Amino acid sequence: DTGVSQNPRHKITKRGQNVTFRCDPISEHNRLYWYRQTLGQGPEFLTYFQNEAQLEKSRLLSDRFSAERPKGSFSTLEIQRTEQGDSAMYLCASSLQGAGEQYFGPGTRLTVT
Amino acid sequence: DAKTTQPNSMESNEEEPVHLPCNHSTISGTDYIHWYRQLPSQGPEYVIHGLTSNVNNRMASLAIAEDRKSSTLILHRATLRDAAVYYCITKTSYDKVIFGPGTSLSVIP
């Protein structure tokens, strides 16, 4: 068990560019979650998958954001036309269906200049 | 999911017990109480959860009031590595976690 991994760990991009982050969950976990965290705040829920199905999306997930989990394993989160307000830590977590606890990755820190 | 209230910050001396309180007065009968913590520059880490009975694991203990309107996370001997933000969450399902601002715990050597 290597835990949840996220790549890249840091990303600096210019406003208007597209970025894509990857999350590899714990291998047997069928649920995968994305959160966003800004400085001094708790993480905010964005979306979650059960296997390859995206079951819930937060209102925070604007049309510029899209998440996929095509084979029910790793997931990607893409942000199109980035804005400075997108600067944040993007966290991924995974869990087993029916289990209470979620396991978080180290996050990808996005800076939009 | 019920709203929780926690102190913004707390301090503890190293090697002493720490009691982190959480109020969740609007909790429903099916809500579980979860605690996570987040060390600096890391993702949140699951600590413990419970429904009605007190719970113990290798990291901490969770004491739940009889009316379930409050709970306390107990770290039996604080170490410097326990300095983190501690989040108390109540959840009706095993889905998304709704984080509040949490309690920032400082441990004094």
Side-chain angles (χ1 to χ4, degrees), chain B residues 10-109:
Chain B
M10 291 183 63
E11 278 188 353
S12 174
N13 293 320
E14 193 176 11
E15 298 188 1
E16 290 188 356
V18 183
H19 290 234
L20 297 163
C22 180
N23 288 319
H24 29 79
S25 58
T26 59
I27 193 170
S28 74
T30 56
D31 286 356
Y32 280 77
I33 301 155
H34 289 246
W35 284 81
Y36 284 78
R37 71 179 185 180
Q38 189 170 22
L39 279 65
S41 302
Q42 295 188 22
E45 174 186 29
Y46 166 81
V47 178
I48 200 166
H49 76 282
L51 183 61
T52 55
S53 304
N54 294 345
V55 183
N56 299 297
N57 66 21
R58 63 175 181 82
M59 290 181 68
S61 295
L62 176 60
I64 301 172
E66 196 168 335
D67 63 6
R68 300 201 339 114
K69 294 184 184 301
S70 66
S71 62
T72 301
L73 179 71
I74 302 165
L75 307 179
H76 296 285
R77 283 181 73 244
T79 69
L80 297 178
R81 290 175 296 177
D82 291 322
V85 178
Y86 286 79
Y87 298 100
C88 169
I89 297 123
T90 59
K91 297 168 78 253
T92 54
S93 70
Y94 291 117
D95 297 334
K96 61 186 180 289
V97 178
I98 305 296
F99 290 89
T103 297
S104 179
L105 175 66
S106 301
V107 179
I108 302 167

Side-chain angles (χ1 to χ4, degrees), chain A residues 13-33:
Chain A
T13 191
K14 293 184 177 180
R15 189 175 52 189
Q17 298 295 305
N18 299 344
V19 294
T20 301
F21 311 139
R22 176 177 170 129
C23 170
D24 287 89
I26 294 172
S27 57
E28 64 269 26
H29 286 185
N30 58 347
R31 288 192 170 179
L32 187 148
Y33 310 79

